[in-house]
Amino acid sequence: MIQITPLEKKQQKKLVTIWSITFLTLFPILITLGLLMRLNQGEEINLKANTFYALMTLHGLGMAGVLFSIAFAALWYLISTRYARLRVGVGYFVYFLILIGVVALTIATLIGKFGPGWYLLYPLPFIGTSWKPWSTGLSIISIIILGIAWLIGMLHLLYALAKAYGGITHLLGWQYLGKKEVQQDLPPIVLISTISLVPGVMAFLAGAVMLILYLLQYFEPSLTFDPLLLKNLTFFFGHTLVNITLYCGVGWVYALLPEFTGREWKTNKVVVYSWNATFFFILFAYFHHLYMDFVQPMPLHYAGQIASYLSAIPATAITMFGVIAQLYHSKIKWSVIPLMFLLGTAGWAIGGFAAVVDSTIAINKVLHNTLWVPAHFHTYMLMGIVLFIFAFLFYISSENKGYSTDIKTKLGFWIFVIGAYGFLTMFYLGGLNSVPRRYSDYKGIPIQSTHQTGVLLSQIAVVFIIVLLAGLLLMYISLFSKLLKKEDTVEMPVQA
Ligand code: HEM
């Protein structure tokens, strides 16, 4: 633990509050884009195909970017106020750079109708496009700006942690594996931040190479690159980004849940082994996105399946065990914050299980590019990381003001959970019924039953999305009233 002055804490709090308000503004807008897509797939509205794909691209890139940004900002706040000194000026620089990137991307998609999907699959953005050519250039530049911002932030954080804990091997917890006594305790959040951010830096560097090649091709259309190489770079970048977003959130579960249960959650050998397995295997798990690419060398497909299992299972198992050990027979006071941690861990495990199922080659042959894919990643994002983020937001808005156990917040939370799982179930059922993903509507599907199932499931999903939005509204009311509340009535979260 570091000692920081009240002024430094106030400055870091202001930064994280600005981040939180930005997130709370953008999140429902991005959900509304999802609602429009489901309305179109349910044949309730009629969007032009190029509008649908522009919305889908903004929704996908926007959600992934906004969630990673707030997850990183939350980590920044917790690290800077407890474990290592971070320069608030760097934090603001990163924030404004990200804002520029987001505005540019919004212009490219909503005005320029840029719509190849989040993964900009090469050579899609350059051949026979339905969008304005300038929007391709603007999107590439805006993603480069976002990447630079995140890289600066991640490197600053890693550097500060390495300085505070004696180097990168200490951050990875390797001192716990030897016979010598450990001199300085390594908080699990620091270990997990390292496990997230080091692969994050590698992934962002791969993303930078990919985007520079895209930019070269944009300025010199006669150039061509190997599509397989670019697909590998794209998915290494995208897959890792989504995974580490979740791990950032898991990090603060380890740090904050003990404040509610009154039990310590310390780093030990098993925690180090499990998270180091994730650290190593996460780098190779993305190969499961390329099973359909017959030109990819066969051993990489097998490596993809094995790495998918080995990167997901140890970290999930040890965390679930840890959460149960924290909660079992504890005298916890069930405010919405630990509830969100508990259900967030469940969402991570459920979505993760569905992902591991899909990463199994024999099953992927059937489920590939069906709605099963958005089903699993929406589960661990919406019911995993989003719940962790809201837990964090309630936590910081309640610091020194007492942790909310009010009924409105809990009601909003449960309505949100019901809406979200209803919405997700429709994706899963779509996948099991072979409804394809990324179809703007299902009118062109020649098999009548698949068409009808796709439409019906979308219509039911719309109802659940509205329920989810209603729950979100209730949580927002409670969150903002907390944020605006001034008095300091400190209340301990754990009953003595
Ligand atoms: C209630 C909230 C949400 C709704 C209603 C929603 C809705 C949708 C829909 C309808 C699609 C298109 C599915 C298809 O037919 O292929 C989609 C795709 C996607 N969504 Fe969401 N979503 C939500 C939350 C999220 C969250 C939290 C994330 C976080 C990462 C996310 C990321 C994505 C991505 C990456 C895609 C794929 C875009 C692409 O293929 O390029 N969504 N979403």
Side-chain angles (χ1 to χ4, degrees):
M1 282 279 189
I2 50 161
Q3 295 297 326
I4 62 164
T5 64
L7 178 68
E8 283 172 315
K9 176 142 189 193
K10 204 172 154 196
Q11 287 172 334
Q12 294 291 357
K13 182 88 183 245
K14 192 169 163 196
L15 176 62
V16 81
T17 307
I18 294 174
W19 264 119
S20 307
I21 292 171
T22 312
F23 163 76
L24 289 170
T25 313
L26 293 177
F27 184 57
I29 298 176
L30 292 169
I31 292 184
T32 309
L33 301 185
L35 174 63
L36 288 174
M37 286 192 276
R38 272 326 231 166
L39 278 167
N40 201 59
Q41 291 168 333
E43 298 177 9
E44 309 268 15
I45 59 171
N46 200 1
L47 295 174
K48 282 193 189 143
N50 64 344
T51 306
F52 177 95
Y53 287 111
L55 297 186
M56 188 186 84
T57 304
L58 181 58
H59 169 84
L61 281 172
M63 278 290 191
V66 163
L67 293 188
F68 179 66
S69 298
I70 182 71
F72 181 71
L75 206 58
W76 177 288
Y77 176 74
L78 291 171
I79 299 280
S80 66
T81 51
R82 296 165 186 220
Y83 308 109
R85 278 183 193 284
L86 299 178
R87 294 172 65 153
V88 76
V90 177
Y92 277 105
F93 181 69
V94 170
Y95 174 80
F96 284 111
L97 223 49
I98 289 178
L99 215 56
I100 294 171
V102 169
V103 171
L105 196 64
T106 309
I107 295 173
T109 46
L110 291 189
I111 301 176
K113 292 276 183 340
F114 182 71
W118 77 263
Y119 57 111
L120 330 173
L121 196 61
Y122 186 83
L124 192 55
F126 302 103
I127 294 175
T129 56
S130 61
W131 50 86
K132 306 254 188 301
W134 61 261
S135 68
T136 301
L138 186 60
S139 299
I140 296 168
I141 292 170
S142 56
I143 303 173
I144 290 179
I145 294 174
L146 290 171
I148 292 173
W150 287 324
L151 254 180
I152 294 173
M154 291 194 294
L155 288 173
H156 182 63
L157 210 147
L158 279 172
Y159 174 72
L161 284 177
K163 229 166 95 179
Y165 288 88
I168 199 81
T169 53
H170 277 82
L171 289 182
L172 291 169
W174 292 358
Q175 66 279 25
Y176 283 84
L177 308 180
K179 292 214 164 62
K180 279 196 207 147
E181 204 187 317
V182 175
Q183 302 293 332
Q184 184 186 18
D185 272 350
L186 181 71
I189 185 175
V190 174
L191 168 73
I192 298 170
S193 303
T194 312
I195 302 291
S196 309
L197 299 183
V198 176
V201 169
M202 295 180 196
F204 279 89
L205 290 176
V209 172
M210 170 204 78
L211 288 165
I212 288 166
L213 296 182
Y214 270 66
L215 203 58
L216 286 175
Q217 165 118 37
Y218 175 71
F219 286 119
E220 183 44 70
S222 66
L223 287 171
T224 49
F225 298 107
D226 181 353
L228 187 65
L229 168 70
L230 287 175
K231 191 169 176 186
N232 271 279
L233 290 172
T234 305
F235 278 94
F236 178 47
F237 165 68
H239 178 88
T240 311
L241 171 75
V242 168
N243 273 260
I244 65 170
T245 304
L246 200 90
Y247 296 153
C248 288
V250 175
W252 70 74
V253 176
Y254 279 72
L256 301 182
L257 191 56
E259 292 187 21
F260 293 84
T261 58
R263 289 176 177 167
E264 283 190 331
W265 197 347
K266 285 191 150 192
T267 303
N268 56 33
K269 262 190 191 171
V270 184
V271 171
V272 171
Y273 274 125
S274 307
W275 280 99
N276 273 263
T278 298
F279 174 70
F280 179 71
F281 290 111
I282 196 179
L283 301 174
F284 306 101
Y286 85 89
F287 288 135
H288 62 223
H289 289 278
L290 286 99
Y291 290 154
M292 294 294 147
D293 297 87
F294 58 89
V295 282
Q296 179 89 337
M298 186 69 84
L300 297 187
H301 293 319
Y302 293 125
Q305 176 166 328
I306 295 164
S308 303
Y309 280 67
L310 293 180
S311 73
I313 292 169
T316 321
I318 191 74
T319 306
M320 281 166 61
F321 183 77
V323 169
I324 293 166
Q326 279 285 313
L327 294 173
Y328 188 68
H329 277 196
S330 74
K331 291 181 180 155
I332 192 164
K333 190 170 170 185
W334 280 103
S335 78
V336 79
I337 301 170
L339 260 180
M340 284 176 170
F341 283 145
L342 179 63
L343 266 84
T345 311
W348 173 33
I350 297 167
F353 176 74
V356 169
V357 166
D358 193 31
S359 73
T360 310
I361 294 174
I363 298 177
N364 189 275
K365 278 185 188 164
V366 181
L367 293 179
H368 191 86
N369 267 355
T370 66
L371 285 179
W372 186 272
V373 182
H376 75 64
F377 72 74
H378 277 86
T379 309
Y380 52 69
M381 295 314 273
L382 193 59
M383 284 291 94
I385 185 66
V386 168
L387 288 188
F388 293 156
I389 289 168
F390 273 99
F392 173 79
L393 295 180
F394 275 106
Y395 178 85
I396 52 155
S397 66
S398 312
E399 261 184 324
N400 303 330
K401 294 175 198 161
Y403 295 100
S404 170
T405 47
D406 83 274
I407 192 78
K408 194 161 32 40
T409 320
K410 278 192 186 162
L411 187 68
F413 167 68
W414 285 114
I415 294 176
F416 178 83
V417 170
I418 292 168
Y421 273 113
F423 154 71
L424 293 167
T425 306
M426 298 309 123
F427 267 161
Y428 282 109
L429 291 177
L432 291 174
N433 283 284
S434 299
V435 179
R437 71 178 292 204
R438 293 200 188 111
Y439 270 36
S440 57
D441 58 53
Y442 304 122
K443 289 175 191 152
I445 298 178
I447 306 164
Q448 261 314 305
S449 59
T450 311
H451 168 217
Q452 281 163 357
T453 310
V455 172
L456 180 67
L457 294 175
S458 308
Q459 290 170 345
I460 302 173
V462 165
V463 177
F464 280 115
I465 297 169
I466 293 168
V467 172
L468 171 157
L469 284 169
L472 200 62
L473 183 67
L474 278 179
M475 290 204 290
Y476 268 47
I477 294 172
S478 153
L479 200 53
F480 276 105
S481 66
K482 276 266 168 223
L483 279 168
L484 300 176
K485 196 172 156 192
K486 286 268 184 298
E487 71 266 32
D488 278 2
T489 48
V490 183
E491 189 187 305
M492 291 307 289
V494 183
Q495 283 173 330

